[in-house]
Amino acid sequence: MHGPASPGWLLVALCAATGAYCLLRMRSRVEEQRRTAGGEALMGFGMAAMAVPAAVFTPPSWAWPAYAVVFGAAGLRALWAARSGRHHLHHLVGAAAMVYMAVVMAGSPAHGHGTSGTPVLTGALLLYFTGYVLLTGVRLIPVVPVADGRTAGGWGDRPELARACRLSMAIGMLAMLLPL
């Protein structure tokens, strides 16, 4: 997660921009979309904070357990929400990946340098997020253009932008998991 400065800052920018857009999506009129966007904003900002290059800021030792607790709670919330829709299972996997990365970072001697993750779990998460990126990327390709001239609603109600948001976070997750 903490690698060279340039890619690290690009990852911070991607995740922070995604989190900011998710905050905009929270203005939706649909309550389910607002809740989903709130969880995704937490994920985006959490990923941005984890991706800050270690040369700039090394978090205190208590930060990694705090990340694990916050994203563990987010995972429990996603598990509870999965009763009403299976798309929440992706949020559950994302929260579990964040908990996993926080635990690995807490156990790393230099907090983020070196490999100390479980190769099988890291590989499974990499496989999941790679599949998610490919599937979501294909779903973003428009099949039939809208010809009736209707608008899709506000920024928070555009499903293709929500998919692009999730896609960028999955790409960021891949970038964060690779060094483990």
Side-chain angles (χ1 to χ4, degrees):
M1 285 181 285
H2 289 299
S6 294
W9 284 119
L10 290 173
L11 187 57
V12 169
L14 172 74
C15 294
T18 301
Y21 173 69
C22 290
L23 286 179
L24 286 176
R25 286 182 37 228
M26 289 180 67
R27 298 182 347 173
S28 172
R29 294 183 192 130
V30 180
E31 184 176 343
E32 177 64 24
Q33 290 179 11
R34 285 193 307 267
R35 276 196 302 250
T36 299
E40 291 171 354
L42 173 69
M43 184 71 69
F45 289 127
M47 289 172 61
M50 280 182 140
V52 172
V56 176
F57 176 72
T58 301
S61 61
W62 58 263
W64 302 117
Y67 277 122
V69 168
V70 167
F71 286 103
L76 290 174
R77 185 178 179 280
L79 182 62
W80 181 257
R83 298 172 308 130
S84 64
R86 68 183 184 130
H87 68 277
H88 292 286
L89 292 175
H90 172 70
H91 296 144
L92 176 62
V93 173
M98 292 292 282
V99 169
Y100 171 66
M101 288 187 287
V103 168
V104 169
M105 295 294 279
S108 287
H111 293 294
H113 300 286
T115 58
S116 59
T118 305
V120 174
L121 185 53
T122 302
L125 289 169
L126 284 169
L127 186 63
Y128 172 80
F129 283 106
T130 299
Y132 186 84
V133 165
L134 294 173
L135 183 63
T136 304
V138 168
R139 287 182 179 169
L140 282 175
I141 300 171
V143 177
V144 178
V146 178
D148 64 358
R150 289 184 296 168
T151 59
W155 284 99
D157 296 323
R158 308 238 348 236
E160 71 279 8
L161 291 178
R163 277 193 199 112
C165 174
R166 291 182 196 110
L167 175 65
S168 65
M169 281 196 291
I171 292 169
M173 192 67 75
L174 282 170
M176 293 172 75
L177 285 166
L178 278 173
L180 292 180

